[in-house]
Amino acid sequence: MRNALKFLLTLVAATVLMLVVRAFVFAVYTVDGASLAPLFHVGDRVVVNRWGYGLRVGGGDTVDYTRWLRRPIGRNELVAFNYPLGKACQVEDREVYICVCTAVPGDTVRQQGMYFVMPGKRVPVNVTSANMRLLCYIYNKYEPQMAAIRQHKLYVDGQETMRAYFTRDYYWMSSGNPKNCNDSRFFGPVPESYVIGSVVAVLPALFTQH
């Protein structure tokens, strides 16, 4: 009886520990698309370190967004994030995407023959005809200010703006596949608050079937 109780307690403790690790340290996602092929294949299981860039906390209606032990995202790193155009109200409930971060705040991105600087918390961006629509979109979707374009000028909270300032960092995410544009070419820069963590391992599909 005593040995059975000890075994049961050990099993419960191990289960609780596994759930804690899954919730606060690592997450595992199954690949169901081919946008990052041949790096990932359908059925692969991707292990994401939630602490890779600091643990994401808050960001919903009741708790403000912050990160514990924050580390900036580096160029060419594989990043897991919530889909910016997802339909769920809460960011953490939206689909998970994995892309390569190809530009960080302050980097210059070339898109459709135009150049613009990736915005960031401490990276003011000059407003130009090339980036005006993108900056307006970022303000209205992610920032606390409201923006509008009138007579080829950007207005933020009703004031004409020549230099744009933001409350968080933004990153350009690439699928690495020129035929699949479901990346920042489609949904724009990804705010830091949408980032889940860094990809640390991939379990091949054949391995996970056993």
Side-chain angles (χ1 to χ4, degrees):
M1 182 65 178
R2 182 176 297 177
N3 289 337
L5 180 60
K6 184 177 180 180
F7 172 78
L8 180 61
L9 291 175
T10 302
L11 181 62
V12 170
T15 302
V16 170
L17 179 61
M18 180 185 67
L19 292 175
V20 169
V21 169
R22 177 70 183 269
F24 296 104
V25 183
F26 294 104
V28 180
Y29 303 102
T30 301
V31 176
D32 61 2
S35 62
L36 282 176
L39 184 60
F40 299 140
H41 300 279
V42 175
D44 286 353
R45 304 193 71 190
V46 180
V47 182
V48 174
N49 179 7
R50 293 181 181 272
W51 286 87
Y53 308 113
L55 182 65
R56 182 176 65 178
V57 179
D61 297 330
T62 57
V63 181
D64 291 337
Y65 160 76
T66 188
R67 280 189 185 271
W68 294 348
L69 301 179
R70 179 185 179 277
R71 181 181 75 82
I73 299 172
R75 298 179 192 86
N76 301 318
E77 293 184 351
L78 279 170
V79 180
F81 56 92
N82 293 106
Y83 187 47
L85 303 183
K87 296 181 180 180
C89 295
Q90 298 296 325
V91 172
E92 61 269 20
D93 295 331
R94 298 179 183 180
E95 303 97 318
V96 176
Y97 270 51
I98 294 175
C99 286
V100 179
C101 175
T102 55
V104 303
D107 287 351
T108 299
V109 175
R110 184 179 185 273
Q111 179 65 16
Q112 296 181 344
M114 298 184 295
Y115 295 86
F116 58 87
V117 176
M118 285 299 299
K121 189 173 182 179
R122 287 173 288 276
V123 185
V125 177
N126 292 326
V127 179
T128 68
S129 58
N131 65 15
M132 189 177 299
R133 290 188 179 277
L134 179 63
L135 297 177
C136 185
Y137 169 79
I138 293 174
Y139 271 118
N140 290 328
K141 183 170 179 61
Y142 302 116
E143 295 288 321
Q145 300 101 319
M146 297 298 295
I149 297 175
R150 297 195 296 268
Q151 297 180 344
H152 307 291
K153 297 179 180 179
L154 179 64
Y155 289 81
V156 178
D157 288 343
Q159 299 293 322
E160 183 182 350
T161 301
M162 303 299 295
R163 286 170 66 83
Y165 295 85
F166 299 93
T167 62
R168 61 193 66 182
D169 289 332
Y170 292 86
Y171 300 89
W172 193 261
M173 301 296 182
S174 174
S175 67
N177 187 339
K179 296 182 180 180
N180 188 319
C181 294
N182 198 8
D183 53 16
S184 284
R185 290 170 291 176
F186 176 66
F187 48 70
V190 175
E192 179 188 282
S193 57
Y194 278 54
V195 172
I196 300 169
S198 58
V199 176
V200 295
V202 181
L203 305 178
L206 291 176
F207 176 81
T208 59
Q209 291 176 357
H210 296 288

Short mmCIF file of all heavy atoms in Angstrom, two decimals, residues 63-122:
data_model
loop_
_atom_site.label_atom_id
_atom_site.label_comp_id
_atom_site.label_asym_id
_atom_site.label_seq_id
_atom_site.Cartn_x
_atom_site.Cartn_y
_atom_site.Cartn_z
N VAL A 63 -3.86 42.43 -18.22
CA VAL A 63 -2.45 42.55 -17.83
C VAL A 63 -1.64 43.12 -18.98
O VAL A 63 -1.71 42.62 -20.10
CB VAL A 63 -1.86 41.18 -17.41
CG1 VAL A 63 -0.41 41.33 -16.97
CG2 VAL A 63 -2.69 40.56 -16.29
N ASP A 64 -0.88 44.17 -18.72
CA ASP A 64 -0.05 44.78 -19.76
C ASP A 64 1.06 43.83 -20.19
O ASP A 64 1.57 43.04 -19.38
CB ASP A 64 0.56 46.09 -19.26
CG ASP A 64 -0.47 47.18 -19.06
OD1 ASP A 64 -1.54 47.10 -19.71
OD2 ASP A 64 -0.22 48.10 -18.27
N TYR A 65 1.45 43.94 -21.45
CA TYR A 65 2.50 43.09 -21.99
C TYR A 65 3.86 43.45 -21.39
O TYR A 65 4.22 44.62 -21.24
CB TYR A 65 2.57 43.25 -23.51
CG TYR A 65 3.89 42.80 -24.10
CD1 TYR A 65 4.18 41.45 -24.25
CD2 TYR A 65 4.86 43.73 -24.48
CE1 TYR A 65 5.39 41.04 -24.78
CE2 TYR A 65 6.06 43.33 -25.02
CZ TYR A 65 6.32 41.98 -25.17
OH TYR A 65 7.53 41.58 -25.68
N THR A 66 4.62 42.42 -21.05
CA THR A 66 6.02 42.59 -20.63
C THR A 66 6.75 41.28 -20.89
O THR A 66 6.15 40.27 -21.26
CB THR A 66 6.12 42.97 -19.15
OG1 THR A 66 7.48 43.32 -18.84
CG2 THR A 66 5.69 41.81 -18.25
N ARG A 67 8.09 41.30 -20.73
CA ARG A 67 8.90 40.08 -20.87
C ARG A 67 9.85 39.98 -19.70
O ARG A 67 10.52 40.94 -19.35
CB ARG A 67 9.68 40.09 -22.19
CG ARG A 67 8.86 39.71 -23.38
CD ARG A 67 9.68 39.51 -24.62
NE ARG A 67 8.81 39.25 -25.74
CZ ARG A 67 8.38 38.04 -26.11
NH1 ARG A 67 8.80 36.98 -25.45
NH2 ARG A 67 7.56 37.89 -27.12
N TRP A 68 9.92 38.79 -19.15
CA TRP A 68 10.88 38.52 -18.09
C TRP A 68 12.20 38.08 -18.72
O TRP A 68 12.22 37.20 -19.58
CB TRP A 68 10.37 37.43 -17.16
CG TRP A 68 9.13 37.84 -16.38
CD1 TRP A 68 8.61 39.09 -16.25
CD2 TRP A 68 8.27 36.97 -15.64
NE1 TRP A 68 7.48 39.08 -15.48
CE2 TRP A 68 7.25 37.79 -15.08
CE3 TRP A 68 8.25 35.61 -15.39
CZ2 TRP A 68 6.22 37.26 -14.29
CZ3 TRP A 68 7.24 35.08 -14.60
CH2 TRP A 68 6.24 35.90 -14.05
N LEU A 69 13.30 38.69 -18.29
CA LEU A 69 14.63 38.39 -18.81
C LEU A 69 14.67 38.53 -20.33
O LEU A 69 15.12 37.65 -21.06
CB LEU A 69 15.07 36.97 -18.39
CG LEU A 69 15.14 36.71 -16.88
CD1 LEU A 69 15.56 35.28 -16.61
CD2 LEU A 69 16.08 37.69 -16.20
N ARG A 70 14.23 39.67 -20.80
CA ARG A 70 14.11 39.94 -22.23
C ARG A 70 15.46 39.88 -22.94
O ARG A 70 16.46 40.38 -22.44
CB ARG A 70 13.48 41.32 -22.45
CG ARG A 70 13.33 41.71 -23.92
CD ARG A 70 12.81 43.14 -24.02
NE ARG A 70 12.67 43.55 -25.41
CZ ARG A 70 13.66 44.01 -26.15
NH1 ARG A 70 14.88 44.13 -25.62
NH2 ARG A 70 13.44 44.37 -27.40
N ARG A 71 15.47 39.27 -24.14
CA ARG A 71 16.63 39.27 -25.02
C ARG A 71 16.15 39.61 -26.43
O ARG A 71 15.16 39.05 -26.91
CB ARG A 71 17.31 37.90 -25.05
CG ARG A 71 18.55 37.86 -25.94
CD ARG A 71 19.19 36.50 -25.98
NE ARG A 71 18.45 35.54 -26.78
CZ ARG A 71 18.52 35.44 -28.11
NH1 ARG A 71 19.29 36.27 -28.80
NH2 ARG A 71 17.83 34.53 -28.77
N PRO A 72 16.82 40.56 -27.11
CA PRO A 72 16.36 40.94 -28.45
C PRO A 72 16.47 39.78 -29.44
O PRO A 72 17.32 38.90 -29.30
CB PRO A 72 17.32 42.08 -28.85
CG PRO A 72 17.89 42.57 -27.55
CD PRO A 72 17.95 41.38 -26.65
N ILE A 73 15.61 39.80 -30.42
CA ILE A 73 15.66 38.81 -31.49
C ILE A 73 16.82 39.15 -32.43
O ILE A 73 17.02 40.31 -32.78
CB ILE A 73 14.34 38.79 -32.27
CG1 ILE A 73 13.19 38.42 -31.32
CG2 ILE A 73 14.40 37.81 -33.44
CD1 ILE A 73 11.83 38.57 -31.95
N GLY A 74 17.56 38.15 -32.83
CA GLY A 74 18.69 38.37 -33.73
C GLY A 74 18.32 38.07 -35.18
O GLY A 74 17.36 37.34 -35.46
N ARG A 75 19.08 38.63 -36.09
CA ARG A 75 18.86 38.36 -37.51
C ARG A 75 19.11 36.88 -37.81
O ARG A 75 20.01 36.26 -37.25
CB ARG A 75 19.78 39.22 -38.36
CG ARG A 75 19.55 40.71 -38.22
CD ARG A 75 20.53 41.49 -39.09
NE ARG A 75 20.52 42.91 -38.76
CZ ARG A 75 21.25 43.45 -37.80
NH1 ARG A 75 22.06 42.68 -37.07
NH2 ARG A 75 21.18 44.75 -37.55
N ASN A 76 18.33 36.36 -38.74
CA ASN A 76 18.46 34.98 -39.24
C ASN A 76 18.14 33.93 -38.18
O ASN A 76 18.53 32.77 -38.33
CB ASN A 76 19.86 34.74 -39.81
CG ASN A 76 20.19 35.69 -40.95
OD1 ASN A 76 19.34 35.95 -41.81
ND2 ASN A 76 21.40 36.22 -40.96
N GLU A 77 17.43 34.32 -37.15
CA GLU A 77 16.99 33.36 -36.14
C GLU A 77 15.58 32.86 -36.48
O GLU A 77 14.74 33.61 -37.00
CB GLU A 77 17.01 33.98 -34.75
CG GLU A 77 18.40 34.30 -34.25
CD GLU A 77 18.40 34.84 -32.83
OE1 GLU A 77 17.31 35.12 -32.29
OE2 GLU A 77 19.50 34.98 -32.27
N LEU A 78 15.34 31.58 -36.18
CA LEU A 78 14.01 31.01 -36.37
C LEU A 78 13.13 31.40 -35.19
O LEU A 78 13.45 31.11 -34.04
CB LEU A 78 14.09 29.49 -36.48
CG LEU A 78 14.50 28.93 -37.85
CD1 LEU A 78 14.80 27.44 -37.73
CD2 LEU A 78 13.39 29.17 -38.87
N VAL A 79 12.01 32.04 -35.50
CA VAL A 79 11.17 32.62 -34.47
C VAL A 79 9.75 32.08 -34.59
O VAL A 79 9.19 32.00 -35.69
CB VAL A 79 11.15 34.16 -34.59
CG1 VAL A 79 10.27 34.78 -33.51
CG2 VAL A 79 12.56 34.72 -34.51
N ALA A 80 9.15 31.73 -33.45
CA ALA A 80 7.75 31.34 -33.40
C ALA A 80 6.93 32.52 -32.89
O ALA A 80 7.30 33.16 -31.90
CB ALA A 80 7.56 30.13 -32.49
N PHE A 81 5.83 32.81 -33.56
CA PHE A 81 5.00 33.94 -33.17
C PHE A 81 3.54 33.66 -33.51
O PHE A 81 3.23 32.77 -34.30
CB PHE A 81 5.47 35.23 -33.88
CG PHE A 81 5.50 35.13 -35.38
CD1 PHE A 81 4.41 35.51 -36.16
CD2 PHE A 81 6.62 34.63 -36.04
CE1 PHE A 81 4.43 35.41 -37.54
CE2 PHE A 81 6.65 34.53 -37.44
CZ PHE A 81 5.55 34.91 -38.18
N ASN A 82 2.66 34.41 -32.90
CA ASN A 82 1.24 34.29 -33.20
C ASN A 82 0.90 35.06 -34.47
O ASN A 82 1.41 36.16 -34.69
CB ASN A 82 0.39 34.80 -32.04
CG ASN A 82 0.52 33.94 -30.80
OD1 ASN A 82 1.17 34.33 -29.82
ND2 ASN A 82 -0.07 32.76 -30.82
N TYR A 83 0.06 34.49 -35.27
CA TYR A 83 -0.28 35.05 -36.57
C TYR A 83 -0.93 36.43 -36.42
O TYR A 83 -1.97 36.56 -35.77
CB TYR A 83 -1.23 34.10 -37.29
CG TYR A 83 -1.55 34.47 -38.71
CD1 TYR A 83 -0.55 34.83 -39.60
CD2 TYR A 83 -2.87 34.44 -39.17
CE1 TYR A 83 -0.84 35.15 -40.92
CE2 TYR A 83 -3.18 34.76 -40.49
CZ TYR A 83 -2.15 35.11 -41.35
OH TYR A 83 -2.44 35.44 -42.65
N PRO A 84 -0.32 37.46 -37.01
CA PRO A 84 -0.85 38.82 -36.82
C PRO A 84 -2.27 39.02 -37.33
O PRO A 84 -3.00 39.87 -36.81
CB PRO A 84 0.15 39.68 -37.63
CG PRO A 84 1.41 38.90 -37.64
CD PRO A 84 0.97 37.47 -37.73
N LEU A 85 -2.69 38.23 -38.33
CA LEU A 85 -4.03 38.40 -38.90
C LEU A 85 -5.00 37.35 -38.40
O LEU A 85 -6.08 37.16 -38.98
CB LEU A 85 -3.95 38.35 -40.43
CG LEU A 85 -3.03 39.38 -41.09
CD1 LEU A 85 -3.11 39.28 -42.61
CD2 LEU A 85 -3.37 40.79 -40.63
N GLY A 86 -4.65 36.67 -37.30
CA GLY A 86 -5.54 35.67 -36.73
C GLY A 86 -6.84 36.29 -36.23
O GLY A 86 -6.91 37.47 -35.90
N LYS A 87 -7.90 35.47 -36.18
CA LYS A 87 -9.22 35.98 -35.84
C LYS A 87 -9.51 35.96 -34.34
O LYS A 87 -10.43 36.65 -33.88
CB LYS A 87 -10.28 35.15 -36.57
CG LYS A 87 -10.19 35.28 -38.09
CD LYS A 87 -11.27 34.46 -38.77
CE LYS A 87 -11.17 34.60 -40.30
NZ LYS A 87 -12.22 33.80 -40.99
N ALA A 88 -8.76 35.19 -33.57
CA ALA A 88 -9.01 35.14 -32.12
C ALA A 88 -8.73 36.49 -31.48
O ALA A 88 -7.79 37.20 -31.87
CB ALA A 88 -8.13 34.06 -31.48
N CYS A 89 -9.54 36.86 -30.51
CA CYS A 89 -9.38 38.16 -29.85
C CYS A 89 -8.05 38.24 -29.09
O CYS A 89 -7.35 39.25 -29.15
CB CYS A 89 -10.56 38.41 -28.91
SG CYS A 89 -12.14 38.59 -29.77
N GLN A 90 -7.73 37.18 -28.34
CA GLN A 90 -6.49 37.16 -27.58
C GLN A 90 -5.34 36.70 -28.47
O GLN A 90 -5.47 35.70 -29.19
CB GLN A 90 -6.62 36.21 -26.37
CG GLN A 90 -7.69 36.64 -25.38
CD GLN A 90 -7.38 37.97 -24.74
OE1 GLN A 90 -6.23 38.30 -24.47
NE2 GLN A 90 -8.42 38.75 -24.48
N VAL A 91 -4.23 37.42 -28.42
CA VAL A 91 -3.09 37.12 -29.29
C VAL A 91 -2.61 35.69 -29.10
O VAL A 91 -2.33 34.97 -30.07
CB VAL A 91 -1.94 38.12 -29.03
CG1 VAL A 91 -0.68 37.69 -29.78
CG2 VAL A 91 -2.35 39.52 -29.44
N GLU A 92 -2.50 35.25 -27.83
CA GLU A 92 -1.95 33.92 -27.56
C GLU A 92 -2.83 32.79 -28.06
O GLU A 92 -2.40 31.63 -28.12
CB GLU A 92 -1.69 33.74 -26.06
CG GLU A 92 -2.93 33.85 -25.19
CD GLU A 92 -3.18 35.27 -24.70
OE1 GLU A 92 -2.66 36.21 -25.32
OE2 GLU A 92 -3.91 35.42 -23.70
N ASP A 93 -4.08 33.09 -28.45
CA ASP A 93 -4.98 32.06 -28.96
C ASP A 93 -4.92 31.94 -30.48
O ASP A 93 -5.59 31.08 -31.05
CB ASP A 93 -6.42 32.37 -28.54
CG ASP A 93 -6.62 32.29 -27.03
OD1 ASP A 93 -5.88 31.52 -26.39
OD2 ASP A 93 -7.49 33.01 -26.50
N ARG A 94 -4.14 32.77 -31.14
CA ARG A 94 -4.07 32.74 -32.59
C ARG A 94 -3.09 31.67 -33.08
O ARG A 94 -2.29 31.15 -32.31
CB ARG A 94 -3.66 34.11 -33.12
CG ARG A 94 -4.66 35.21 -32.76
CD ARG A 94 -4.22 36.56 -33.28
NE ARG A 94 -5.15 37.60 -32.85
CZ ARG A 94 -5.03 38.88 -33.15
NH1 ARG A 94 -4.00 39.29 -33.90
NH2 ARG A 94 -5.92 39.76 -32.73
N GLU A 95 -3.18 31.36 -34.38
CA GLU A 95 -2.32 30.34 -34.96
C GLU A 95 -0.84 30.70 -34.74
O GLU A 95 -0.49 31.87 -34.64
CB GLU A 95 -2.58 30.22 -36.46
CG GLU A 95 -4.02 29.90 -36.82
CD GLU A 95 -4.80 31.15 -37.18
OE1 GLU A 95 -4.64 32.16 -36.48
OE2 GLU A 95 -5.57 31.11 -38.15
N VAL A 96 -0.02 29.66 -34.68
CA VAL A 96 1.42 29.85 -34.48
C VAL A 96 2.13 29.72 -35.83
O VAL A 96 1.92 28.75 -36.56
CB VAL A 96 1.98 28.82 -33.48
CG1 VAL A 96 3.50 28.97 -33.36
CG2 VAL A 96 1.32 29.01 -32.12
N TYR A 97 2.95 30.72 -36.13
CA TYR A 97 3.75 30.71 -37.35
C TYR A 97 5.23 30.66 -36.97
O TYR A 97 5.61 31.14 -35.90
CB TYR A 97 3.50 31.97 -38.19
CG TYR A 97 2.39 31.82 -39.20
CD1 TYR A 97 1.14 31.34 -38.82
CD2 TYR A 97 2.58 32.17 -40.53
CE1 TYR A 97 0.12 31.21 -39.73
CE2 TYR A 97 1.55 32.05 -41.45
CZ TYR A 97 0.33 31.56 -41.05
OH TYR A 97 -0.68 31.43 -41.96
N ILE A 98 6.03 30.09 -37.85
CA ILE A 98 7.49 30.07 -37.66
C ILE A 98 8.13 30.63 -38.92
O ILE A 98 7.85 30.18 -40.03
CB ILE A 98 8.00 28.66 -37.38
CG1 ILE A 98 7.47 28.16 -36.04
CG2 ILE A 98 9.53 28.62 -37.39
CD1 ILE A 98 7.83 26.73 -35.72
N CYS A 99 8.97 31.64 -38.73
CA CYS A 99 9.67 32.27 -39.86
C CYS A 99 11.09 32.61 -39.44
O CYS A 99 11.45 32.51 -38.26
CB CYS A 99 8.95 33.54 -40.30
SG CYS A 99 7.40 33.27 -41.21
N VAL A 100 11.87 33.04 -40.41
CA VAL A 100 13.21 33.53 -40.15
C VAL A 100 13.15 35.05 -40.01
O VAL A 100 12.58 35.73 -40.87
CB VAL A 100 14.18 33.15 -41.29
CG1 VAL A 100 15.57 33.70 -41.01
CG2 VAL A 100 14.22 31.64 -41.46
N CYS A 101 13.71 35.56 -38.93
CA CYS A 101 13.77 37.01 -38.74
C CYS A 101 14.89 37.56 -39.63
O CYS A 101 16.06 37.27 -39.40
CB CYS A 101 14.03 37.36 -37.28
SG CYS A 101 14.25 39.13 -36.99
N THR A 102 14.53 38.35 -40.63
CA THR A 102 15.53 38.85 -41.57
C THR A 102 15.83 40.34 -41.37
O THR A 102 16.75 40.85 -42.01
CB THR A 102 15.07 38.62 -43.02
OG1 THR A 102 13.77 39.20 -43.21
CG2 THR A 102 15.00 37.12 -43.31
N ALA A 103 15.08 41.02 -40.51
CA ALA A 103 15.36 42.43 -40.24
C ALA A 103 14.88 42.79 -38.84
O ALA A 103 13.78 42.40 -38.44
CB ALA A 103 14.70 43.34 -41.27
N VAL A 104 15.72 43.52 -38.12
CA VAL A 104 15.42 43.96 -36.76
C VAL A 104 15.28 45.48 -36.76
O VAL A 104 15.59 46.14 -37.76
CB VAL A 104 16.52 43.51 -35.78
CG1 VAL A 104 16.69 41.99 -35.82
CG2 VAL A 104 17.85 44.19 -36.10
N PRO A 105 14.80 46.08 -35.66
CA PRO A 105 14.63 47.54 -35.63
C PRO A 105 15.90 48.28 -36.06
O PRO A 105 16.99 47.99 -35.60
CB PRO A 105 14.29 47.82 -34.17
CG PRO A 105 13.58 46.58 -33.73
CD PRO A 105 14.29 45.46 -34.42
N GLY A 106 15.72 49.23 -36.98
CA GLY A 106 16.84 50.00 -37.50
C GLY A 106 17.36 49.50 -38.83
O GLY A 106 18.05 50.23 -39.54
N ASP A 107 17.05 48.23 -39.19
CA ASP A 107 17.48 47.69 -40.48
C ASP A 107 16.62 48.27 -41.61
O ASP A 107 15.46 48.62 -41.41
CB ASP A 107 17.36 46.17 -40.49
CG ASP A 107 18.42 45.49 -39.65
OD1 ASP A 107 19.35 46.18 -39.20
OD2 ASP A 107 18.30 44.27 -39.43
N THR A 108 17.21 48.33 -42.79
CA THR A 108 16.48 48.78 -43.96
C THR A 108 15.96 47.59 -44.75
O THR A 108 16.71 46.65 -45.04
CB THR A 108 17.39 49.64 -44.86
OG1 THR A 108 17.82 50.80 -44.13
CG2 THR A 108 16.62 50.11 -46.10
N VAL A 109 14.69 47.61 -45.06
CA VAL A 109 14.04 46.52 -45.80
C VAL A 109 13.65 47.03 -47.19
O VAL A 109 13.13 48.14 -47.34
CB VAL A 109 12.78 46.03 -45.06
CG1 VAL A 109 12.04 44.97 -45.89
CG2 VAL A 109 13.15 45.48 -43.70
N ARG A 110 13.92 46.22 -48.20
CA ARG A 110 13.50 46.53 -49.56
C ARG A 110 12.30 45.68 -49.90
O ARG A 110 12.33 44.46 -49.81
CB ARG A 110 14.62 46.26 -50.56
CG ARG A 110 14.28 46.65 -51.99
CD ARG A 110 15.46 46.36 -52.93
NE ARG A 110 15.21 46.83 -54.28
CZ ARG A 110 14.59 46.11 -55.22
NH1 ARG A 110 14.18 44.88 -54.93
NH2 ARG A 110 14.41 46.61 -56.44
N GLN A 111 11.21 46.34 -50.28
CA GLN A 111 9.98 45.63 -50.59
C GLN A 111 9.29 46.32 -51.75
O GLN A 111 8.99 47.51 -51.70
CB GLN A 111 9.06 45.60 -49.36
CG GLN A 111 7.73 44.91 -49.57
CD GLN A 111 7.88 43.42 -49.85
OE1 GLN A 111 8.93 42.84 -49.62
NE2 GLN A 111 6.83 42.80 -50.36
N GLN A 112 9.04 45.56 -52.82
CA GLN A 112 8.37 46.07 -54.01
C GLN A 112 9.05 47.33 -54.55
O GLN A 112 8.40 48.32 -54.91
CB GLN A 112 6.89 46.35 -53.71
CG GLN A 112 6.11 45.09 -53.36
CD GLN A 112 4.66 45.35 -53.09
OE1 GLN A 112 4.24 46.50 -52.88
NE2 GLN A 112 3.86 44.30 -53.07
N GLY A 113 10.37 47.29 -54.57
CA GLY A 113 11.14 48.38 -55.13
C GLY A 113 11.27 49.60 -54.24
O GLY A 113 11.89 50.60 -54.64
N MET A 114 10.74 49.54 -53.02
CA MET A 114 10.83 50.65 -52.07
C MET A 114 11.63 50.24 -50.85
O MET A 114 11.69 49.05 -50.50
CB MET A 114 9.43 51.12 -51.66
CG MET A 114 8.60 51.67 -52.81
SD MET A 114 7.00 52.33 -52.26
CE MET A 114 6.20 50.84 -51.67
N TYR A 115 12.23 51.21 -50.20
CA TYR A 115 13.03 50.96 -49.01
C TYR A 115 12.39 51.63 -47.81
O TYR A 115 11.88 52.76 -47.91
CB TYR A 115 14.45 51.51 -49.20
CG TYR A 115 15.24 50.81 -50.29
CD1 TYR A 115 15.13 51.21 -51.62
CD2 TYR A 115 16.09 49.75 -49.99
CE1 TYR A 115 15.85 50.58 -52.62
CE2 TYR A 115 16.81 49.12 -50.99
CZ TYR A 115 16.69 49.53 -52.29
OH TYR A 115 17.40 48.89 -53.28
N PHE A 116 12.41 50.94 -46.68
CA PHE A 116 11.93 51.55 -45.44
C PHE A 116 12.68 50.96 -44.26
O PHE A 116 13.22 49.85 -44.33
CB PHE A 116 10.41 51.37 -45.27
CG PHE A 116 9.96 49.93 -45.25
CD1 PHE A 116 9.93 49.20 -44.07
CD2 PHE A 116 9.55 49.30 -46.42
CE1 PHE A 116 9.52 47.88 -44.06
CE2 PHE A 116 9.15 47.97 -46.41
CZ PHE A 116 9.12 47.27 -45.23
N VAL A 117 12.73 51.72 -43.18
CA VAL A 117 13.46 51.32 -41.97
C VAL A 117 12.50 50.61 -41.03
O VAL A 117 11.38 51.07 -40.79
CB VAL A 117 14.07 52.55 -41.27
CG1 VAL A 117 14.74 52.13 -39.96
CG2 VAL A 117 15.09 53.22 -42.19
N MET A 118 12.95 49.47 -40.48
CA MET A 118 12.13 48.75 -39.52
C MET A 118 11.98 49.58 -38.25
O MET A 118 12.98 50.00 -37.65
CB MET A 118 12.78 47.40 -39.18
CG MET A 118 12.63 46.36 -40.27
SD MET A 118 10.90 45.97 -40.63
CE MET A 118 10.38 45.35 -39.05
N PRO A 119 10.75 49.84 -37.81
CA PRO A 119 10.55 50.65 -36.61
C PRO A 119 10.85 49.89 -35.33
O PRO A 119 10.79 48.66 -35.29
CB PRO A 119 9.06 51.02 -36.70
CG PRO A 119 8.45 49.90 -37.48
CD PRO A 119 9.50 49.45 -38.46
N GLY A 120 11.15 50.64 -34.29
CA GLY A 120 11.44 50.04 -33.00
C GLY A 120 11.17 51.03 -31.88
O GLY A 120 10.89 52.22 -32.12
N LYS A 121 11.27 50.53 -30.67
CA LYS A 121 10.94 51.36 -29.50
C LYS A 121 11.86 52.55 -29.37
O LYS A 121 11.44 53.63 -28.94
CB LYS A 121 11.02 50.49 -28.24
CG LYS A 121 10.50 51.17 -26.98
CD LYS A 121 10.44 50.19 -25.82
CE LYS A 121 9.86 50.85 -24.58
NZ LYS A 121 9.77 49.90 -23.44
N ARG A 122 13.11 52.39 -29.71
CA ARG A 122 14.06 53.51 -29.63
C ARG A 122 14.64 53.83 -31.01
O ARG A 122 15.76 54.29 -31.12
CB ARG A 122 15.18 53.15 -28.63
CG ARG A 122 14.72 53.18 -27.17
CD ARG A 122 15.78 52.66 -26.23
NE ARG A 122 15.93 51.22 -26.35
CZ ARG A 122 15.17 50.34 -25.71
NH1 ARG A 122 14.21 50.77 -24.93
NH2 ARG A 122 15.37 49.05 -25.85
#
